[in-house]
Amino acid sequence: MTTVGLIGNGSPPGFTAKPVEELHGDDDILVICATSRLSQALRQQQARAMVQAGHTQWTPLQALTFDQWLASLQTEVSLQGLSEAPLLQALPMDSAQERILWEEVIRENLLDQAHDLFDVAALAKTAMEAHELSIIWEVQPQPHQLNDESRRFIAWQQRFMARCAQQGWIDQARLHRALLETLLGCFHRLRWPKQVAFAGFTRLNPVERQLQSLMQSRGIELLVITSIESKRSDTTAAPVQCQSYPDTASEALAAALWVQQQWQANPQARLAIVVPDLAGSRHILEDTLEDVLMPSAISPSQAEAARPYNISLGLPLSHKPLVQAALMLLQVLAGADKLPQAALGQLLRNPYWSDATKEAAARALLDAAMREHLPPAAPLAQLQAGLCQQMADRHGEHRQAPQLMRHLDQLVELPPQLQDHRLPSDWAERLPVLLRQVGWLAERKLSSHEYQAKEALLDAIHQLARLDDWLGRVSYPVIVAHLRRACADRTFQVQTEGQPRLQILGVLESSGLTFDGVWVMGMVDTAWPPAARPNALLPSELQRERQTPHASATVQLQFAQALQNHLMSCAPDVTFSWPRKLGDAELNPSPLLPPTHPEDHKDTPASPHWTKQAAQGPNRFLTAPIEDAAAPPVGAGERVPGGTWMLRAQAICPAWAFYQYRLGAAKMEQPNEGLDARKRGTFLHDALEHFWKDIKTSDRLRALKSDARRTHVETAVDMVLAAYNEDTRHAPLKPRFAQLERARLVRLIMGWLDVELQRSEPF
């Protein structure tokens, strides 16, 4: 079985086709791959071939991506001093550094409009892409082709390159272009392999094509990697199938059942599920694969067990709960002067802060009490004092959390120490210390996956030190914002154990790979071919002329056809599928799919639930499913409170009636700014109580003149508001708000007393 195939039909002019099985590390050959996944697959393929041939040692195959190879060439040119070009002597910027510089240039140009009218971060990302197109793809508009956006971009670009020249920096696009120009003069002084092979490419950018032509003109043999034979050249190969299913969930279930059937027939089969929109389908596909292929994963002990599949698309590091806890703690320190109660509530419920195991119950009770008694936003010190008061009141014996209060004290004490401006490298040393001080991962034993996430976060913090020259001295909130963005931009993928036999891939990641079976799902017309997405800062007609990526529907069609041709020949068993509906919206198949017949429109596959599979498996941990449609009967002598309200709840929702009146569940309070309706009603009742304790009878009420009645009412209202403000369990009312509430209560009570004066019977 092979793992690399040719994209497209035949070999390009001047190229020699060579099977991957004939590659040897000793042959002085360099293989340039379209993706890093493909380069890894090539090395594994070579290793298997060597083992099957009886070799015990061999030279590993040199397989690199284009970017990796260009970086190695640039290093060799620099170390040998072969170029005096100023651009090659500049300091290369990574993507984070380049984006910071673009943001600074854009803010300087937009002045006060930057924050009010524009998303500067998104503009910087688009400008980076436009800059690469202008340098690599030579999209450089003439004056008559410019629109307002293009003129503004050119001004930004000129300022960007001036800043780079001033600081001695260079972006990756100009570095690659300068490297190509340098190689023209010093080609003979570098060591080149005898053969350079290309694998998995649908197209090359102009710099890569020019480098390819340069090697060809200097006598280097160029190869294209192929399989010994096409996966579909076997006469036993099944025809390509095209099927539809009611929705995405049904389609994912069909794909998972197909994998199960393939492995029952051949346990060693290497399979792939390819999805154009992998990000949008990832979660439902992952859940379905677990239910079908690994039902035991529902057990907590199996949460981190190796899966029989690997999903190529990682998630942002900021999505990991452990990292979210760290970022929340750092953000609390940055906004301690006005902290939303919801932010502190999230921390109270977070298992990665303080001693969450021993104090979980107390923290849950404190969260509930905080919702009822504390304002929705307040200084952290005030929220901390409120929690202390909740632990000290008469019900506080179940709310004791000494570790929590120790770490809360640190959160309150540290912000004054973070007021100065420091270099990012200084903050990079300080942030891990801050996290330890405030209780991140305190008393927590980390699993393997959690440890990997922790190390990834610490590495992201360490990378902040690279921004010293780009940011200078910055405040604590600014460095926390940069860390949050770095974690959002960084893809985190748990290390895969072994080599799973099922790969979940995006379409581009599948380029060059072959399998024993492939299922391509989600092939709707809105996803395949991908929609055109020309850069908004450059003239679209010039992008179409240069055939840049995403420039037009024609470019996207050619790209999709090349990849689909490969998908249709990369395995003896190939199935394309698409969902007929997304919610209430009708979907249509991709126009590139083969025609479907009425029998190809499938219903939702029949599959037993994973609980039945687990119960019928060799290790039975689950009993057979039972019907549980009714609550347990009320026992003899058991009293269910609620009266007619229970009957009302039963009529509305039997489940909630059971939760509320049998289990004692109650809805959590939602914090309100100021007073809620219940508290205002309590104020009214308490004020009336104080008034009647003083007046006592209707005769005395009638004896009072209007001004005297108002004085008594105001006195009663003032007593109620003063008692509320003196209660340390919650924040006192703000003066203006208290004044409005006082006027409201006086008005209501005076109106009610007018009604009382109309009564004929004394009381």
Side-chain angles (χ1 to χ4, degrees):
M1 184 185 64
T2 59
T3 56
V4 178
L6 175 66
I7 297 292
N9 299 319
S11 302
F15 285 67
T16 303
K18 186 168 186 176
V20 63
E21 289 81 0
E22 296 181 9
L23 297 179
H24 299 283
D26 299 326
D27 289 343
D28 194 19
I29 184 172
L30 168 69
V31 182
I32 302 177
C33 304
T35 64
S36 56
R37 179 177 293 272
L38 181 55
S39 63
Q40 181 182 7
L42 268 174
R43 289 190 289 269
Q44 294 170 352
Q45 173 68 12
Q46 183 219 16
R48 285 195 295 269
M50 292 294 102
V51 171
Q52 292 173 0
H55 297 283
T56 58
Q57 57 183 357
W58 59 86
T59 302
L61 185 67
Q62 188 179 10
L64 304 172
T65 64
F66 239 124
D67 284 344
Q68 292 170 340
W69 185 46
L70 289 175
S72 67
L73 283 178
Q74 193 270 335
T75 300
E76 186 175 357
V77 168
S78 298
L79 290 176
Q80 294 192 34
L82 298 180
S83 173
E84 297 181 357
L87 289 178
L88 288 183
Q89 296 175 2
L91 177 64
M93 295 184 289
D94 60 27
S95 59
Q97 294 165 337
E98 185 177 348
R99 185 162 67 177
I100 288 172
L101 184 54
W102 276 109
E103 289 179 0
E104 183 178 342
V105 167
I106 291 172
R107 285 195 184 95
E108 291 174 355
N109 181 265
L110 297 177
L111 300 177
D112 296 337
Q113 306 174 51
H115 296 287
D116 298 333
L117 301 178
F118 297 97
D119 182 349
V120 176
L123 271 178
K125 185 176 180 180
T126 305
M128 287 175 61
E129 179 185 297
H131 178 68
E132 180 179 356
L133 293 175
S134 70
I135 300 299
I136 298 297
W137 292 85
E138 300 177 340
V139 182
Q140 297 175 357
Q142 299 300 314
H144 69 277
Q145 297 175 307
L146 297 176
N147 52 29
D148 290 343
E149 291 79 8
S150 301
R151 290 189 184 92
R152 179 152 282 187
F153 165 70
I154 289 175
W156 296 344
Q157 187 181 39
Q158 291 172 348
R159 178 61 179 161
F160 172 83
M161 292 192 290
R163 287 289 304 277
C164 288
Q166 179 184 357
Q167 299 292 337
W169 303 332
I170 186 173
D171 55 89
Q172 291 297 317
R174 288 192 297 154
L175 177 64
H176 288 174
R177 176 64 70 179
L179 178 61
L180 176 62
E181 295 172 357
T182 298
L183 291 177
L184 293 172
C186 66
F187 188 95
H188 63 285
R189 300 179 61 182
L190 297 173
R191 184 192 176 280
W192 295 85
K194 294 180 180 178
Q195 297 175 317
V196 175
F198 295 84
F201 287 96
T202 57
R203 63 183 305 185
L204 300 175
N205 67 42
V207 169
E208 293 165 346
R209 289 199 301 267
Q210 291 171 32
L211 183 56
Q212 199 177 66
S213 299
L214 175 62
M215 290 187 293
Q216 195 171 25
S217 66
R218 301 301 172 91
I220 296 177
E221 183 181 3
L222 301 185
L223 311 174
V224 169
I225 302 302
T226 68
S227 302
I228 285 182
E229 56 181 350
S230 170
K231 276 290 185 177
R232 299 194 59 79
S233 63
D234 189 347
T235 57
T236 63
V240 173
Q241 301 182 60
C242 185
Q243 303 169 352
S244 75
Y245 292 88
D247 51 36
T248 302
S250 302
E251 186 186 21
L253 178 58
L257 293 173
W258 168 80
V259 172
Q260 191 178 59
Q261 294 166 1
Q262 292 285 320
W263 281 347
Q264 288 173 353
N266 178 12
Q268 301 304 317
R270 293 184 65 256
L271 309 174
I273 296 178
V274 180
V275 192
D277 181 19
L278 183 53
S281 305
R282 175 196 172 105
H283 294 296
I284 190 170
L285 183 57
E286 185 174 14
D287 291 344
T288 305
L289 289 172
E290 282 197 351
D291 282 353
V292 174
L293 303 180
M294 193 177 176
S296 61
I298 193 64
S299 171
S301 63
Q302 298 295 309
E304 296 189 1
R307 279 15 181 196
Y309 56 84
N310 175 62
I311 300 180
S312 65
L313 178 66
L315 293 173
L317 179 60
S318 58
H319 285 196
K320 300 299 294 183
L322 177 145
V323 176
Q324 289 177 345
L327 296 177
M328 279 193 293
L329 286 166
L330 295 175
Q331 189 62 46
V332 165
L333 290 173
D337 55 337
K338 187 68 171 180
L339 183 68
Q341 186 194 119
L344 184 55
Q346 283 183 315
L347 284 174
L348 289 174
R349 301 188 300 273
N350 197 294
Y352 297 101
W353 180 48
S354 193
D355 194 349
T357 303
K358 295 179 181 177
E359 298 178 350
R363 286 164 59 161
L365 292 172
L366 287 171
D367 183 25
M370 180 175 67
R371 291 165 178 257
E372 184 175 357
H373 297 290
L374 298 180
L380 178 59
Q382 181 179 331
L383 295 177
Q384 180 212 30
L387 292 179
C388 290
Q389 181 64 33
Q390 295 301 320
M391 284 191 278
D393 73 3
R394 58 191 180 90
H395 302 295
E397 65 273 9
H398 299 298
R399 302 173 183 166
Q400 301 306 308
Q403 281 283 74
L404 170 69
M405 296 313 300
R406 182 170 68 85
H407 292 131
L408 262 178
D409 289 341
Q410 288 292 315
L411 283 173
V412 173
E413 294 172 3
L414 284 172
Q417 305 174 24
L418 305 175
Q419 301 303 313
D420 55 339
H421 287 59
R422 304 186 182 193
L423 290 172
S425 56
D426 295 334
W427 286 121
E429 295 181 2
R430 182 80 173 110
L431 292 182
V433 177
L434 288 176
L435 288 173
R436 288 195 297 270
Q437 287 179 289
V438 299
W440 181 56
L441 304 182
E443 309 297 330
R444 174 92 184 184
K445 294 183 178 179
L446 299 182
S447 65
S448 172
H449 292 187
E450 290 171 338
Y451 178 79
Q452 292 178 47
K454 173 191 171 185
E455 291 301 305
L457 174 62
L458 294 178
D459 183 65
I461 293 175
H462 176 72
Q463 293 299 320
L464 294 174
R466 297 170 56 89
L467 305 179
D468 282 3
D469 292 336
W470 281 261
L471 293 177
R473 292 182 176 275
V474 294
S475 64
Y476 173 77
V478 169
I479 203 66
V480 170
H482 278 281
L483 177 60
R484 295 181 70 89
R485 188 169 72 178
C487 292
D489 292 343
R490 183 168 185 159
T491 299
F492 176 75
Q493 185 81 298
V494 174
Q495 294 179 4
T496 304
E497 296 183 18
Q499 297 185 13
R501 291 168 291 136
L502 173 62
Q503 299 290 325
I504 315 299
L505 305 168
V507 178
L508 188 58
E509 293 167 309
S510 68
S511 62
L513 301 174
T514 59
F515 303 90
D516 295 315
V518 171
W519 186 296
V520 189
M521 60 178 286
M523 297 290 281
V524 294
D525 57 356
T526 55
W528 195 253
R533 186 178 53 82
N535 189 281
L537 297 179
L538 292 171
S540 56
E541 65 274 11
L542 192 56
Q543 295 180 62
R544 291 192 294 269
E545 179 184 325
R546 295 286 191 272
Q547 297 284 290
T548 63
H550 317 295
S552 66
T554 301
V555 170
Q556 297 296 73
L557 177 62
Q558 294 172 350
F559 166 79
Q561 286 175 329
L563 285 174
Q564 185 166 320
N565 288 339
H566 166 67
L567 288 172
M568 296 179 71
S569 62
C570 68
D573 184 348
V574 179
T575 299
F576 291 91
S577 68
W578 54 279
R580 297 191 290 271
K581 274 193 172 185
L582 178 62
D584 294 331
E586 298 281 348
L587 301 178
N588 296 311
S590 167
L592 299 184
L593 290 183
T596 55
H597 304 287
E599 62 272 15
D600 295 326
H601 299 294
K602 309 290 186 180
D603 295 326
T604 300
S607 174
H609 195 266
W610 63 264
T611 52
K612 293 184 180 179
Q613 296 182 18
Q616 296 168 0
N619 299 318
R620 291 192 175 188
F621 297 107
L622 301 174
T623 59
I626 62 173
E627 292 294 332
D628 189 21
V634 178
E638 181 182 356
R639 179 178 177 274
V640 179
T644 58
W645 281 96
M646 178 187 66
L647 299 178
R648 178 177 178 272
Q650 178 75 16
I652 296 174
C653 178
W656 177 246
F658 174 72
Y659 303 149
Q660 184 175 7
Y661 294 103
R662 296 287 298 278
L663 301 181
K667 184 179 179 180
M668 296 283 283
E669 294 287 342
Q670 291 296 329
N672 294 302
E673 185 67 49
L675 302 170
D676 57 19
R678 183 174 62 180
K679 181 57 69 177
R680 286 176 168 173
T682 301
F683 279 179
L684 181 59
H685 282 276
D686 291 347
L688 285 169
E689 179 183 0
H690 285 297
F691 177 83
W692 286 115
K693 281 182 177 180
D694 183 23
I695 302 304
K696 299 185 184 302
T697 66
S698 58
D699 291 339
R700 189 176 176 192
L701 176 64
R702 290 190 180 91
L704 292 174
K705 293 182 179 181
S706 177
D707 291 343
R709 284 199 306 272
R710 175 174 288 275
T711 300
H712 282 281
V713 169
E714 290 175 346
T715 301
V717 170
D718 289 340
M719 292 174 64
V720 171
L721 295 179
Y724 181 84
N725 287 337
E726 291 171 2
D727 190 342
T728 57
R729 292 178 300 175
H730 47 66
L733 296 176
K734 297 178 181 178
R736 178 58 180 162
F737 194 89
Q739 183 181 358
L740 293 172
E741 183 63 21
R742 182 178 186 272
R744 185 188 74 89
L745 291 171
V746 170
R747 183 180 68 254
L748 286 175
I749 295 174
M750 289 297 291
W752 178 250
L753 293 180
D754 289 339
V755 175
E756 292 291 350
L757 289 172
Q758 304 302 318
R759 295 180 187 272
S760 58
E761 295 295 328
F763 57 88

